[in-house]
Amino acid sequence: MEKVETATSQVVTNTSLAEEKKSNSLLADIKSLIKIGIINSNLITVFAGFWLATYFSGYSFSDYIGTFIITMLGSASVIAGGCMLNNWYDVDIDPIMKRTKTRPTVTGTISLQTVLVLGIITSFIGFILLLFTTIQAMLFAFIGWFVYVVLYTMWSKRRYTLNTTIGSFSGAAPPLIGWAAIDPNFHIVPLVLFLIMFIWQTPHFLALAMRKNEEYKAAKIPMLPAVHGFEFTKRQIVIYIACLLPLPFYLASLGTTFVMLATLLNIGWLVLGISGFYMKNDIKWATIIFVYSLNYLTIFFLMMVVVTWNSPF
């Protein structure tokens, strides 16, 4: 009897492990499908835009918690929907690249038709949610979505080296969404946030393109390093980083501390960029630039919140 119970227990345990493994695999597929990393980084800038809008408008953040939740959910849905449609469209080239060949659209764990339908529905839900904030917030989200899905994914990505610049318009939309959800009127702050995000993306993605140069070549995607080489790409990266230098001064209303720290961040990145002309290992340099860019984004936008912090409750 004890042996029977032990065997039964083993079967139950194995079944539980199998179910847990399947559940974890499905969760991993969903995260890959919606590109959870992109969502997280973009939501940081949505939050910063929203927070600063309440700060400069003289509102209490706690009075707009409901609007904030809707804004974040709506933005996340629009971004997730766009990413799913990107995966659906790129199914023919994703198997060629190491970093994309395990996506569920490639492995077949989620059907292409399902991905297409989910992408459209999720995007639509996001637009509807943002309509409950302001029309301007929804329009900024739609423009960002349209640029990413249509102008970048379907049109420029496989045709032009300017695909990175075109795609940067969509990545610069999130802080505008966050700000417009509170204040739909023009203000210098969201404009500068847009410019920072627009410029930041080119050195960030060109560094990634250098690291994945052979994969992009194999997939026949005309990224700048694959077409014009590393030296040309490094010059472009440095030029774009240099363009960030004056922007913190347009945010002087955030205080001297912020301007000084933001300037130091820019100078540090520029120094690293220039060092690329003297380093022999281009891939190592590109990795340093890429990692710095990720930290730059997080520190820069969270710093805006810290310097304007006044207990919202």
Side-chain angles (χ1 to χ4, degrees):
M1 177 63 75
E2 290 181 358
K3 290 184 179 181
V4 173
E5 289 178 351
T6 302
T8 302
S9 299
Q10 186 66 38
V11 170
V12 171
T13 301
N14 289 340
T15 301
S16 299
L17 289 173
E19 290 177 350
E20 183 179 352
K21 185 177 181 180
K22 185 177 179 180
S23 176
N24 291 337
S25 177
L26 178 61
L27 181 61
D29 281 342
I30 292 174
K31 287 182 177 180
S32 175
L33 189 63
I34 65 175
K35 301 185 181 181
I36 192 67
I38 290 179
I39 291 177
N40 290 338
S41 61
N42 278 279
L43 287 183
I44 290 174
T45 64
V46 174
F47 167 65
F50 189 97
W51 175 273
L52 292 177
T54 59
Y55 174 79
F56 282 100
S57 299
Y59 300 143
S60 171
F61 183 84
S62 60
D63 292 337
Y64 288 87
I65 289 294
T67 304
F68 173 70
I69 293 172
I70 293 173
T71 302
M72 297 296 277
L73 288 176
S75 300
S77 296
V78 171
I79 297 167
C83 288
M84 283 190 274
L85 293 174
N86 172 271
N87 284 344
W88 168 79
Y89 190 83
D90 281 348
V91 68
D92 59 324
I93 59 175
D94 280 348
I96 303 172
M97 303 181 69
K98 183 178 179 180
R99 71 186 184 90
T100 58
K101 67 181 182 180
T102 57
R103 287 176 177 171
T105 45
V106 176
T107 61
T109 52
I110 302 178
S111 71
L112 288 178
Q113 184 177 0
T114 299
V115 173
L116 176 60
V117 172
L118 285 175
I120 294 173
I121 292 175
T122 304
S123 300
F124 185 74
I125 290 173
F127 296 138
I128 295 299
L129 285 172
L130 289 173
L131 270 178
F132 284 96
T133 60
T134 65
I135 294 177
Q136 287 84 351
M138 187 277 291
L139 287 176
F140 282 133
F142 176 77
I143 292 171
W145 178 93
F146 181 82
V147 170
Y148 182 69
V149 174
V150 180
L151 299 186
Y152 171 70
T153 300
M154 298 181 178
W155 176 56
S156 65
K157 182 176 181 178
R158 308 183 190 208
R159 292 179 174 86
Y160 310 110
T161 56
L162 284 174
N163 56 17
T164 303
T165 302
I166 293 171
S168 294
F169 280 96
S170 62
L176 297 180
I177 298 170
W179 182 283
I182 288 292
D183 181 5
N185 300 308
F186 174 81
H187 196 285
I188 188 64
V189 171
L191 175 61
V192 175
L193 297 185
F194 172 86
L195 291 174
I196 290 170
M197 285 302 300
F198 177 77
I199 296 170
W200 169 87
Q201 286 173 92
T202 294
H204 171 76
F205 284 111
L206 287 184
L208 175 63
M210 287 179 66
R211 296 174 63 207
K212 305 296 180 181
N213 186 49
E214 295 305 317
E215 293 182 33
Y216 281 118
K217 281 184 177 179
K220 296 181 179 179
I221 299 175
M223 298 298 289
L224 199 65
V227 177
H228 295 291
F230 283 177
E231 289 304 311
F232 184 86
T233 303
K234 287 193 284 187
R235 288 196 296 272
Q236 292 297 304
I237 287 175
V238 170
I239 290 171
Y240 273 91
I241 293 174
C243 288
L244 288 168
L245 288 174
L247 294 182
F249 296 96
Y250 289 96
L251 298 174
S253 54
L254 293 178
T256 304
T257 300
F258 171 80
V259 173
M260 290 179 60
L261 291 175
T263 300
L264 288 174
L265 271 178
N266 286 334
I267 292 174
W269 202 8
L270 184 61
V271 170
L272 287 176
I274 294 173
S275 72
F277 298 117
Y278 304 96
M279 286 183 65
K280 294 182 179 180
N281 191 330
D282 290 331
I283 301 302
K284 180 179 179 180
W285 174 81
T287 301
I288 293 172
I289 292 295
F290 181 77
V291 172
Y292 190 97
S293 69
L294 292 174
N295 288 286
Y296 176 98
L297 181 71
T298 304
I299 295 171
F300 198 100
F301 278 85
L302 289 182
M303 196 161 54
M304 293 186 212
V305 176
V306 171
V307 298
T308 55
W309 180 266
N310 186 9
S311 182
F313 301 103

